Amino acid sequence: MMELIGGVDTFSNFHCLDHWVAVGGENGVLSILSSKGGWKLANQFNVATTSNVQATKWSPAGRYLFLAGSHKFCRVIDTITWTEVADAQKATARIFQDDSTNAVSSIDWSVDGSWAALGSTGGGIYVIATSDWRLLVPSMDQITMPLEKPTPEG
């Protein structure tokens, strides 16, 4: 298996889409594996020289791949060109303006791919609109809202 993921000595997260698997490594390497014709390394990127890739998540249609990790690392990759989405970088940079947040540990997309939600190690929850890559919610930990009490199903 170590030979298969070429250079990723340990991996911290992976996410599957169809026949593709994105594997984030503790050494800042992102490996893309394909199951077509047996598991093979399809692409590999050194995405973070000083960070671990702790979370990877494909958009529902597979167009984008969100990556996040330690040391203020957060990127969106366009899977057609395999380049970083510059507008998304502007939105994710705003997340790290707060000193209490230095890593994003979880990522998820809405079912239709219109927004992505990020959870930080500092406790913040951030929402980004993917139509124009703007930060919609600066941080849910800064918003006070009453919680609804769950009701028993009946």
Side-chain angles (χ1 to χ4, degrees), residues 112-135:
D112 63 358
S114 63
W115 53 263
L118 310 173
S120 76
T121 56
I125 300 170
Y126 304 87
V127 179
I128 296 174
T130 60
S131 59
D132 57 3
W133 299 104
R134 67 189 155 89
L135 190 60

Side-chain angles (χ1 to χ4, degrees), residues 26-46:
E26 290 183 0
N27 56 358
V29 172
L30 171 69
S31 297
I32 307 296
L33 307 172
S34 173
S35 66
K36 286 189 174 180
W39 285 103
K40 295 179 183 173
L41 183 64
N43 220 330
Q44 194 167 54
F45 306 94
N46 186 4

Side-chain angles (χ1 to χ4, degrees), residues 6 27 92 105-106 113 120 123 128 132 141 143 147:
N27 56 358
T92 58
S105 56
S106 60
S120 76
I128 296 174
D132 57 3
D141 64 346
I143 298 171
L147 297 176

Side-chain angles (χ1 to χ4, degrees), residues 67-136:
L67 312 171
S70 63
H71 300 91
K72 301 184 178 189
F73 171 72
C74 196
R75 304 281 186 273
V76 179
I77 305 296
D78 182 326
T79 62
I80 292 175
T81 62
W82 291 104
T83 58
E84 184 177 349
V85 178
D87 289 341
Q89 181 59 26
K90 293 173 190 171
T92 58
R94 289 186 52 207
I95 293 170
F96 301 115
Q97 290 176 348
D98 178 8
D99 287 338
S100 67
T101 299
N102 73 351
V104 170
S105 56
S106 60
I107 306 164
D108 210 348
W109 294 84
S110 61
V111 174
D112 63 358
S114 63
W115 53 263
L118 310 173
S120 76
T121 56
I125 300 170
Y126 304 87
V127 179
I128 296 174
T130 60
S131 59
D132 57 3
W133 299 104
R134 67 189 155 89
L135 190 60
L136 294 177

